[in-house]
Amino acid sequence: GAVVSQHPSWVICKSGTSVKIECRSLDFQATTMFWYRQFPKQSLMLMATSNEGSKATYEQGVEKDKFLINHASLTLSTLTVTSAHPEDSSFYICSARGDPLTNTEAFFGQGTRLTVV
Amino acid sequence: SQQGEEDPQALSIQEGENATMNCSYKTSINNLQWYRQNSGRGLVHLILIRSNEREKHSGRLRVTLDTSKKSSSLLITASRAADTASYFCAPLRNQGGKLIFGQGTELSVKP
C-alpha cells in the first residue's frame, strides 16, 4: 500500500510551548488528510479533516485555535499543538487519502506520542 | 452517527483457531472498511467491501456485508500470534466520507 510518514514519532515538550507534527504522503497525492488523537485503551477520535489548499474542518469540541492544521500541498499536512498542556498528552495519528472517486481507503502514519510536562 | 460499533470488545483465542469480529452501523453506506492497529502504531487498511457486495476475501481474511441488517463481519482463519491487534470497522456513507472509528475489537492470539 501507499506510504504515509509521520514525524516525529515521539516528542516531549514543556507546558506552554508549541509542537508541530508533520504528515507526508510519500508516493501519492493526498487530496484529504485526517488528524486523530487516541488516549490509552481508547479508540481514535477524529479531530479534523483537511483538503489541500482549504481550511480544515474541525469536529465538534476540537479547538481550532489550539490545534492548527495546515495542508498547503498535496503531500504535506501539519498539526501544531499550541500552548500545550499536560492534558494534551496523547497519541496523534494522521491519515491520508487520494482521489476518493478512485480509491477511498486511507493510509495512516505511524503516530506521534506527545508528552507535555 | 456514521461510526461502526465492533463486537466483541475483546477476543482471546489460541493460535490456529478462527476469529470472528462483527460490526454494526446505523446509516446507509457506500462501502465499509476494516483496519488493524498494532499497539502504539497507526492503522493498516485490511479490506474494503462495497455496498453491492456480500462477501470478499483477501488471504486469510473473509469479510461479509449484510446491508439489510446494517452489519458486517470479519473472519480471520487459522489465526497467528502476529494477528494480535485491535480491529476497527469504518462504514462510509459516500466515497469521500470521513473515517470514524468505534471502540474496536481487541484480539489476542495466544501461541
Side-chain angles (χ1 to χ4, degrees), chain B:
Chain B
S1 100
Q2 184 185 301
Q3 76 181 56
E5 295 297 335
E6 296 87 354
D7 175 70
Q9 289 188 7
L11 180 61
S12 182
I13 59 175
Q14 294 294 130
E15 219 169 16
E17 294 179 340
N18 296 341
T20 299
M21 288 157 269
N22 302 297
C23 169
S24 60
Y25 57 92
K26 294 181 178 174
T27 66
S28 60
I29 61 170
N30 174 277
N31 67 79
L32 186 143
Q33 303 177 29
W34 283 91
Y35 289 82
R36 183 188 76 223
Q37 183 183 30
N38 290 88
S39 182
R41 308 284 293 175
L43 276 68
V44 174
H45 180 267
L46 295 177
I47 198 165
L48 179 154
I49 187 164
R50 301 191 187 284
S51 60
N52 60 354
E53 298 176 310
R54 290 297 166 258
E55 188 171 311
K56 204 161 182 181
H57 297 252
S58 176
R60 294 183 296 114
L61 305 181
R62 173 178 164 249
V63 167
T64 62
L65 179 65
D66 187 335
T67 52
S68 67
K69 294 181 179 178
K70 290 186 169 57
S71 68
S72 174
S73 68
L74 170 66
L75 168 67
I76 303 175
T77 60
S79 64
R80 305 167 182 167
D83 295 328
T84 294
S86 291
Y87 292 81
F88 298 91
C89 68
L92 265 72
R93 282 188 202 169
N94 53 63
Q95 287 176 285
K98 297 183 286 190
L99 284 167
I100 298 175
F101 299 96
Q103 293 299 310
T105 292
E106 192 173 341
L107 174 66
S108 174
V109 182
K110 301 186 186 308

Side-chain angles (χ1 to χ4, degrees), chain A residues 20-66:
Chain A
K20 180 185 283 189
I21 302 169
E22 290 188 349
C23 182
R24 292 180 185 274
S25 56
L26 298 186
D27 50 4
F28 70 104
Q29 293 186 324
T31 305
T32 306
M33 285 192 172
F34 304 92
W35 286 95
Y36 299 84
R37 66 186 298 183
Q38 185 178 36
F39 293 106
K41 299 292 185 183
Q42 293 189 23
S43 185
L44 285 76
M45 185 194 82
L46 179 64
M47 299 174 68
T49 304
S50 72
N51 293 299
E52 183 265 337
S54 304
K55 287 185 179 179
T57 302
Y58 290 80
E59 295 298 304
Q60 194 171 7
V62 178
E63 299 174 60
K64 61 180 181 181
D65 294 330
K66 180 166 185 62

Side-chain angles (χ1 to χ4, degrees), chain A residues 58-78:
Chain A
Y58 290 80
E59 295 298 304
Q60 194 171 7
V62 178
E63 299 174 60
K64 61 180 181 181
D65 294 330
K66 180 166 185 62
F67 298 100
L68 301 179
I69 292 172
N70 183 281
H71 190 169
S73 78
L74 282 170
T75 59
L76 173 65
S77 176
T78 60

Side-chain angles (χ1 to χ4, degrees), chain A residues 11-14 86 88-90 113-117:
Chain A
V11 58
I12 301 173
C13 72
K14 291 184 177 180
D88 298 324
S89 298
S90 188
R113 175 82 52 197
L114 170 64
T115 302
V116 185
V117 298

